[in-house]
Structure formats: C-alpha cells, structure tokens
Amino acid sequence: MPIVEADRLARIGAALLKAAGASEEEAQAVATGCVNANLAGHDSHGIIAVPTYIDRVKAGHIVPGAPFTIVQESPTTTVIDGNWGFGFHVNAKAMALTIEKAKTANVAACTVFRQSHVGRLAAYPLMAARAGMIGLATADSGRSPKHVAPFGGREARLGTNPIAIAVPSELEAPFYLDMATSAVAAGKIALAVARGEQIPQGWIIDAEGRHTTDPTDYRKGGALLPLGGTEGYKGSGLAAMVEVLCGLLTGLGFGVEPIGRHNDGCFMAVFNVAAFRPLDKFKQEVADFARYLKSTPPSEGSRGVFYPGEIEYLREQERGKNGIEVEDATWDKLRALARDYGLAADLELT
Ligand SMILES: NC(=O)c1ccc[n+]([C@@H]2O[C@H](COP(=O)([O-])OP(=O)(O)OC[C@H]3O[C@@H](n4cnc5c(N)ncnc54)[C@H](O)[C@@H]3O)[C@@H](O)[C@H]2O)c1
C-alpha cells in the first residue's frame, strides 16, 4: 500500500475532480474534506470516495457548479436547496451562513437538501467551534438505500445517520463528538469479509433476523444493527430522530427511492457561547473538564480515557507526519482516472 503525504493526496483528488468538471472551489472543498477524514482515521470517508464522486458526476447525480439556493429564511433560520451540488461545498457554505446569523442572533439553524454526500460530518460543527460557537449537525442520506434495521426489526429502514457536535475549548485537540448511530460502519463489515475474520455479536443480523458473527451475512440480505447492538433501542431512537430532522424537516421524506440518487439531508444548528457564558471562561472549563475525565485511572486492559475528538487528533498528528496509507485498489483507481484525464505525468501517477 502506498503511503502518501496529505498535501499530495489532496492535490491529486482536487486535480481529478476538476478534470471531472468541478470548479476550483468545489474540487478543493471535496479533496481537502476527504483527506481530512483520512487524517482523522476515517478512511471510509477519505480519498477512497473520490472515484465514487466522479462516477456520480458522470452519471449526472452530482452537478458541478450547481447553484446554492435559499428557498426560505428568517434572521435565525435558512432552508437551502443544494441543487445536487457537491455536499462538501454546499454544506460548508450553509454552515458559514448559519454562523454569520448566529453572530447577530446568537442561535441559528438551517436545513439543506438536494446535495451529494457530505462526508465526515464533524467538518461542519468544527467550523462553528473555531468561531467560538457550539455547532451541531445531523445527516441522513435522504431516500437512498438503507442499511440499519430499527431495534426489533429484521429489515433495514434507517441510514447510518450520523450526529456531530463540536464545542470551543482551550484544548490543543478540538473537543467534538462525531459518530454514526449504527453499531458499526458498513465499511468495517467489508473489511472483516476481506480479511476472512468473524465480527463481534451485535454488529449485524442476517436475512432471517438472527444475530450473527459471520460478516458475509450482511451482503446476503442482512442489516446493520443500531448503536448499542443487541440492546440498540437507544441507537435506534437516535437514528429515527436524525431522520426526522434530516429527512422530514428538510422535506426529503423517508423510505427508499428506486433511482438511488444519493441525497444528504442535513440539519445544522449553531449556538453562540458568549450569549450564555463568557467565551474564555467556557473554553477554559471545557479544557478542565476534559482533563478531569482523563484523570481517572484506566480500567482493566484500557489505554485510559480519551475525550471526544482526541483519538482523531492523535491520528492526525501521526498521519500528518508519516503520511496516509492508501489501499492498492483505491490507488489504482486514482491512477486510472489520472491516465483517462491525461494528468498522469503532472500528478506523477504513472
Ligand atoms: N455523511 C454520512 O452519510 C455519514 C454516515 C455515517 C458516518 N459518517 C462519518 O463516518 C465517520 C465515522 O463514524 P463512526 O461512528 O464509525 O466513528 P467511530 O466509531 O470511530 O466513533 C467516533 C467518535 O467516537 C470517539 N471515539 C473513538 N474512539 C474512542 C475512544 N477510544 N475513547 C473515546 N472516544 C472515542 C471519537 O472521538 C468520535 O467522536 C464520522 O466522521 C462520521 O461523520 C458519515
């Protein structure tokens, strides 16, 4: 597996996306967003996704240069139609606008619909945290095929419906939660299949609704379980609430649309900390709180406590220094695309 510097990987991703029709701004947003996911250790949302996004552009499912349309707004709210633009670009613009509104109104929220995949969800609330605000984002994939069975059910009816919340602090590593509401990401099942390994009980059920540790059951009509696995009723409830915020409040609806066009509905909200507490004091207390959590002695077999977001930061440091491992299959796809677009020499991808 090649190990590639983050900057180079972002340059490759952006050049290929531009060749596929993305504007400079769109290409930078998507490529940087993907590489940031790699840096944080979420490879399933990293550079591996760029060839898929290019396929979606070719299929007309993603529209480069799509207009960003505000269909309804008030001083605190915005409803945004992304017109099938790149989710990374549309959602970042939506968050920037919501932060601007919260600077005046202290609290602001938006919904976004008809945009492509938004990738690693933390990217958007982290923008708010950098502006001294608390940011929240939830996402679903509209009426794309579902992967997660609601608690007690046998068939997939929910997406992996992630939630991300970021808060400003004095810590070096940002304090944020960024998680799918499924027991595990679908990518981890595929990895277990590729490695011929069994998976823990509580990740999936098979087509008959039985708990199974055989990862190959997933592709044979099985489903992921909600967060909490065999006791996943709370994860199921969280996923359902995400779907209400991102599917129903956006007007995207629920269920599966046969066309399968990926459509990330998002609900995002921003809270200006200074409207509640002095910002500096709050940032200091969040840092104190993180240190308080970390100061407990480790439980048996544990490496100790990591506050939310810390693991990603440690990976960012390591991968920023040592580079990102790109699986051979992804590297081959990037090389093939570079050849198709006549960029192989420029990108040194021969
Ligand atoms: N756009 C989409 O449609 C979509 C859908 C699902 C997931 N995602 C993204 O996929 C990525 C992965 O999600 P996931 O749920 O599989 O991630 P995960 O299971 O790694 O959980 C991540 C969260 O748990 C925390 N964490 C991880 N290990 C920890 C430890 N040992 N101690 C304390 N905290 C720890 C992390 O800081 C982070 O907040 C996220 O970036 C998410 O936004 C996106």
Side-chain angles (χ1 to χ4, degrees):
M1 286 203 283
I3 297 175
V4 189
E5 271 179 27
D7 284 354
R8 176 166 184 229
L9 209 50
R11 221 168 31 248
I12 291 171
L16 296 176
L17 286 156
K18 261 189 357 193
S23 69
E24 176 71 37
E25 212 185 320
E26 289 170 329
Q28 290 300 340
V30 178
T32 309
C34 287
V35 171
N36 284 345
N38 284 121
L39 284 169
H42 297 306
D43 292 329
S44 53
H45 289 69
I47 196 76
I48 192 172
V50 167
T52 307
Y53 298 153
I54 290 176
D55 284 345
R56 290 181 185 167
V57 171
K58 288 178 184 163
H61 286 194
I62 299 178
V63 179
F68 176 94
T69 314
I70 294 174
V71 291
Q72 192 179 330
E73 73 175 321
S74 74
T76 54
T77 56
T78 322
V79 176
I80 295 150
D81 180 349
N83 294 291
W84 303 109
F86 286 99
F88 289 74
H89 187 239
V90 177
N91 225 40
K93 272 177 89 164
M95 179 48 99
L97 183 64
T98 307
I99 291 168
E100 280 311 306
K101 287 193 173 184
K103 281 182 187 166
T104 314
N106 290 324
V107 174
C110 70
T111 54
V112 191
F113 63 95
R114 291 211 301 170
Q115 63 176 339
S116 69
H117 194 225
V118 297
R120 174 188 175 226
L121 195 61
Y124 313 99
L126 281 169
M127 292 168 65
R130 284 193 289 272
M133 301 186 188
I134 297 173
L136 174 146
T138 59
D140 85 343
S141 48
R143 299 181 62 206
S144 324
K146 305 295 174 191
H147 306 287
V148 182
F151 183 69
R154 176 187 297 197
E155 289 178 3
R157 292 278 190 274
L158 294 161
T160 50
N161 298 2
I163 300 176
I165 302 174
V167 304
S169 82
E170 270 181 1
L171 296 161
E172 204 180 316
F175 193 100
Y176 70 95
L177 176 70
D178 179 22
M179 48 164 261
T181 52
S182 49
V184 69
K188 290 189 186 155
I189 311 290
L191 201 63
V193 172
R195 291 179 178 168
E197 292 170 354
Q198 293 288 293
I199 53 172
Q201 184 93 344
W203 282 16
I204 63 168
I205 47 174
D206 68 12
E208 307 306 319
R210 292 175 299 222
H211 289 275
T212 171
T213 57
D214 177 356
T216 64
D217 284 333
Y218 178 60
R219 291 264 167 239
K220 295 183 212 150
L224 295 176
L225 286 168
L227 182 69
T230 50
E231 297 299 320
Y233 50 91
K234 292 184 231 183
S236 192
L238 273 175
M241 288 302 176
V242 169
E243 197 114 355
V244 169
L245 292 173
C246 304
L248 306 192
L249 197 61
T250 55
L252 284 175
F254 61 89
V256 177
E257 193 179 43
I259 187 175
R261 188 172 187 171
H262 194 100
N263 188 349
D264 268 5
C266 275
F267 170 81
M268 299 194 285
V270 172
F271 308 89
N272 188 7
V273 171
F276 299 88
R277 293 285 310 283
L279 179 60
D280 284 350
K281 183 80 187 138
F282 177 77
K283 286 168 78 168
Q284 182 208 314
E285 281 184 11
V286 173
D288 290 346
F289 174 53
R291 287 189 278 268
Y292 171 67
L293 294 177
K294 287 183 73 63
S295 66
T296 165
S299 60
E300 191 182 318
S302 147
R303 287 188 291 155
V305 173
F306 298 95
Y307 60 80
E310 191 179 4
I311 288 263
E312 280 86 347
Y313 178 75
L314 296 173
R315 283 202 207 101
E316 270 161 25
Q317 302 299 297
E318 188 273 313
R319 292 183 171 194
K321 199 165 90 195
N322 300 326
I324 295 164
E325 269 191 25
V326 181
E327 53 288 353
D328 291 328
T330 300
W331 194 243
D332 289 346
K333 283 186 194 167
L334 298 174
R335 288 171 64 194
L337 283 165
R339 276 197 300 276
D340 291 351
Y341 290 127
L343 292 171
D346 276 3
L347 297 174
E348 295 173 50
L349 273 178
T350 46

